[in-house]
Amino acid sequence: MVKAKMREQEGNRKREELLREFWFQVSNIPGGQKIKRCLQCGTCTGSCPVSQTMDLTPREVIALFRAGDMENILKSRTIWICASCYACTVRCPVGIKVTDILYALKRLAMENDLFPSRFPVHALSRSFVTLVNYFGRSYEPGLLILFYLRTNPIKLLGLFPLALKLWRHGRISFIPKRIKRKKDLQAMLKEAEIMEMIIPWELEPVRSH
Amino acid sequence: MNYLYYPGCSLESSARSYDVSTRWVFHRLSLGLKELEDWNCCGATMYMSIKETIALAFSARNLAIAEKSGGQIVAPCSSCYTILNKTNHILQENFILKAKVNQSLKRAGLEYQGTVRVRHPLDVLVNDVGLEEIKAKMVRPLKGIRIAPYYGCQIVRPEGFFDDRENPTAMDELFASLGATIVPYPVKLRCCGGMLMTTFPEVALALNREILEAAEAEKADLIVTTCPLCQINLDAYQVKINQKFGTNFRLPVMFFTQLLALSLGADRYEIRLKENIVPIPERIIGGLP
Ligand code: SF4
Ligand code: SF4
């Protein structure tokens, strides 16, 4: 009995924390506060080229957020399927930056480990970050290899015919390019990592409008 | 104008034809194009989904270097173009993030004030050079060639700095002025799925099918695009799309700078024609040295 109650409290606390964290992320987006003005008109969903394959449409994501149900948003496929095409953002009649809100949600889900394991988008992003942090530039073949090793190594074999074709057309380079001042970049990233953390999210960022 | 070229990672590997043809066109039109010194990856859409400040600092390093060199960035890859613009916009609007980013840039001896403009080569060509001047340098008219102009999603969205966000026409006008026929192409801004081709291939293949279908319905000879990701999805995955949907597409997909260079007199090596996977019909490249 007591345990159940504690668990419930724990759940509520977590939920509130997620909401606050999300709210902080959203307020970093120029004009992010506009999310409050959503009309639930569904224009975003109607403009989205991949909404049929989402489990929550973009409009529903905003509705759930307003109902405070962050967990269901973060568990959905929606935020990962979004291809960042900005169609929804351009068309929203009240100027809500739906795409940027979905980015904020992706970050939140990753920070809180709220996604299925071996989940492809997350794995791809991680592989990408590993590479660019090291070389300063991305390297496509390396990216795909890292990605499949993290998700489904067997599939690497299936990639072979395509790789061969690309190679024949001169579209695969074998040497990763790197920047000259790698040390500078890495020092910068370290500092940015600290910066990422120092401002507590209780602090309301000042906006110019 | 001092144009600082930001090729981005794709143009160094899978889309070198876009790189060489862009350089060629700028050279032919006597526009100085200097590569941005020691540029780094812009972070693409993927970095943005992990850590915000780090992603911003990462892409801001390029802006800071450009500011120091005093020029405008020219970024052909739609994704780089959008990310760099977005970083610029956020840093201009949100001074707390700007302070954080500058704190990080300091470690590399850099600082960013927020004065750089990020442009797409299509914008530079159509608006700074102008169609008249380009046409004056035309060597091979594109007469009788039916073109489906595919802009992809990120070149005019979200901001639409140089063209309409719902119906851009810069590329239409460019190639029409060189004699080509522009087919009606309502899917010109439809998304190709981008990296979904790797993460959710079923979704991406279906999107690309629609883009190819619309071009075929109008009997287009080729699709012309402005983005390396769109190009590879439409071109390299065409066989897969045919296998999956039982279709029979055979539509060449060229970068807009490849076709432009061709019209301005480049040879097949100068546009790296061998990179295009679906072969370009003789009618278009016939007699090309
Ligand atoms: S288009 Fe804008 S206002 Fe309409 S439902 Fe979507 S987010 Fe809300
Ligand atoms: S940005 Fe994402 S959610 Fe918005 S329309 Fe494009 S794919 Fe859909």
Side-chain angles (χ1 to χ4, degrees):
Chain A
M1 198 49 202
V2 181
K3 254 195 186 148
K5 189 141 195 201
M6 269 172 66
R7 218 172 321 147
E8 195 192 308
Q9 271 175 353
E10 175 67 24
N12 284 343
R13 203 180 52 77
K14 181 84 199 150
R15 209 162 299 137
E16 255 169 50
E17 213 166 86
L18 279 178
L19 258 175
R20 258 193 302 175
E21 216 175 304
F22 175 64
W23 197 240
F24 170 71
Q25 294 264 6
V26 164
S27 54
N28 267 344
I29 304 170
Q33 304 276 352
K34 286 192 193 144
I35 189 174
K36 289 184 195 149
R37 287 195 243 145
C38 173
L39 310 165
Q40 287 293 301
C41 66
T43 306
C44 46
T45 304
S47 321
C48 176
V50 289
S51 62
Q52 323 87 290
T53 62
M54 291 172 165
D55 44 5
L56 293 173
T57 64
R59 180 191 63 78
E60 284 167 338
V61 167
I62 305 223
L64 281 183
F65 157 69
R66 295 211 299 195
D69 188 356
M70 295 297 292
E71 274 155 328
N72 271 322
I73 299 180
L74 296 180
K75 275 191 281 184
S76 74
R77 261 158 71 94
T78 300
I79 51 179
W80 305 107
I81 285 195
C82 166
S84 316
C85 76
Y86 295 95
C88 48
T89 300
V90 165
R91 296 217 178 125
C92 172
V94 291
I96 295 173
K97 300 203 166 144
V98 186
T99 318
D100 290 334
I101 285 170
L102 294 175
Y103 270 123
L105 290 164
K106 279 184 225 187
R107 290 196 289 268
L108 210 56
M110 287 217 209
E111 269 159 36
N112 292 283
D113 283 331
L114 286 171
F115 45 83
S117 67
R118 296 193 163 225
F119 196 62
V121 183
H122 160 259
L124 189 65
S125 292
R126 287 266 175 228
S127 311
F128 178 78
V129 167
T130 310
L131 270 177
V132 293
N133 281 359
Y134 187 70
F135 293 116
R137 295 194 187 162
S138 172
Y139 175 55
E140 290 155 343
L143 176 62
L144 290 181
I145 291 170
L146 270 183
F147 167 70
Y148 284 109
L149 287 179
R150 281 182 194 204
T151 50
N152 188 347
I154 308 285
K155 277 208 180 144
L156 261 180
L157 294 176
L159 227 60
F160 193 68
L162 181 69
L164 192 67
K165 185 158 64 182
L166 288 172
W167 176 72
R168 273 207 321 250
H169 286 270
R171 300 188 68 161
I172 293 188
S173 64
F174 288 101
I175 309 150
K177 297 272 198 310
R178 52 187 84 201
I179 63 170
K180 279 185 277 171
R181 295 191 295 277
K182 240 169 64 180
K183 282 225 178 72
D184 277 5
L185 184 77
Q186 270 145 13
M188 240 184 71
L189 289 177
K190 237 193 222 129
E191 185 72 23
E193 207 147 340
I194 299 168
M195 288 295 124
E196 186 89 50
M197 292 181 303
I198 56 154
I199 298 211
W201 37 259
E202 283 88 352
L203 194 100
E204 266 282 300
V206 192
R207 278 168 308 277
S208 49
H209 60 96
Chain B
M1 192 68 236
N2 189 8
Y3 296 115
L4 299 167
Y5 183 48
Y6 180 89
C9 306
S10 299
L11 273 72
E12 280 200 326
S13 59
S14 65
R16 279 176 55 212
S17 53
Y18 199 8
D19 177 51
V20 295
S21 57
T22 303
R23 291 179 198 259
W24 193 93
V25 166
F26 271 68
H27 184 71
R28 179 81 182 82
L29 297 171
S30 320
L31 299 164
L33 191 64
K34 213 172 76 206
E35 189 164 327
L36 184 69
E37 195 266 328
D38 205 36
W39 57 271
N40 61 272
C41 169
C42 71
T45 48
M46 285 178 275
Y47 219 131
M48 264 293 171
S49 26
I50 295 209
K51 290 265 190 271
E52 188 177 42
T53 317
I54 303 180
L56 290 173
F58 208 77
S59 103
R61 180 176 175 269
N62 300 303
L63 298 171
I65 296 176
E67 195 169 66
K68 211 163 81 182
S69 337
Q72 301 186 342
I73 291 187
V74 176
C77 165
S78 297
S79 187
C80 301
Y81 171 76
T82 300
I83 295 279
L84 292 172
N85 262 318
K86 186 162 154 178
T87 306
N88 213 2
H89 187 61
I90 294 179
L91 295 183
Q92 285 162 356
E93 291 255 330
N94 183 325
F95 70 84
I96 285 205
L97 281 176
K98 185 173 169 193
K100 286 185 176 188
V101 165
N102 268 326
Q103 182 70 27
S104 145
L105 286 174
K106 227 199 263 164
R107 293 285 147 133
L110 293 166
E111 198 200 341
Y112 185 55
Q113 309 267 351
T115 58
V116 172
R117 248 180 101 191
V118 181
R119 319 253 331 251
H120 194 274
L122 182 59
D123 173 17
V124 172
L125 293 173
V126 172
N127 296 315
D128 293 8
V129 181
L131 300 181
E132 282 308 309
E133 197 165 320
I134 295 177
K135 199 176 165 193
K137 300 245 165 79
M138 177 176 71
V139 174
R140 295 163 65 103
L142 303 176
K143 218 163 170 57
I145 302 176
R146 296 176 65 83
I147 292 176
Y150 178 62
Y151 293 78
C153 49
Q154 293 190 336
I155 176 168
V156 288
R157 288 198 301 238
E159 302 292 347
F161 286 116
F162 70 94
D163 210 339
D164 190 83
R165 295 191 298 181
E166 294 287 352
N167 183 20
T169 52
M171 209 163 35
D172 303 36
E173 284 155 22
L174 173 64
F175 290 117
S177 78
L178 300 173
T181 307
I182 311 298
V183 308
Y185 203 45
V187 298
K188 56 165 74 159
L189 285 181
R190 195 114 172 125
C191 176
C192 76
M195 286 313 281
L196 289 181
M197 194 58 98
T198 310
T199 50
F200 291 99
E202 340 72 71
V203 178
L205 288 170
L207 289 174
N208 283 279
R209 176 198 180 174
E210 288 177 34
I211 297 164
L212 293 168
E213 224 157 37
E216 198 180 62
E218 293 292 341
K219 302 199 173 52
D221 294 310
L222 76 160
I223 296 177
V224 178
T225 180
T226 60
C227 172
L229 211 50
C230 303
Q231 202 280 342
I232 209 160
N233 279 350
L234 288 166
D235 192 12
Y237 286 87
Q238 216 171 100
V239 175
K240 231 186 191 149
I241 294 167
N242 284 337
Q243 280 167 0
K244 185 168 162 89
F245 300 106
T247 46
N248 220 341
F249 298 121
R250 209 175 152 73
L251 268 163
V253 188
M254 279 179 110
F255 288 111
F256 86 102
T257 46
Q258 280 185 300
L259 189 63
L260 177 57
L262 188 137
S263 175
L264 297 180
D267 66 31
R268 60 179 69 229
Y269 303 101
E270 283 161 339
I271 59 174
R272 268 180 79 86
L273 202 60
K274 72 165 185 182
E275 265 190 23
N276 298 72
I277 290 167
V278 177
I280 317 286
E282 264 314 294
R283 226 153 57 66
I284 298 170
I285 49 164
L288 200 64

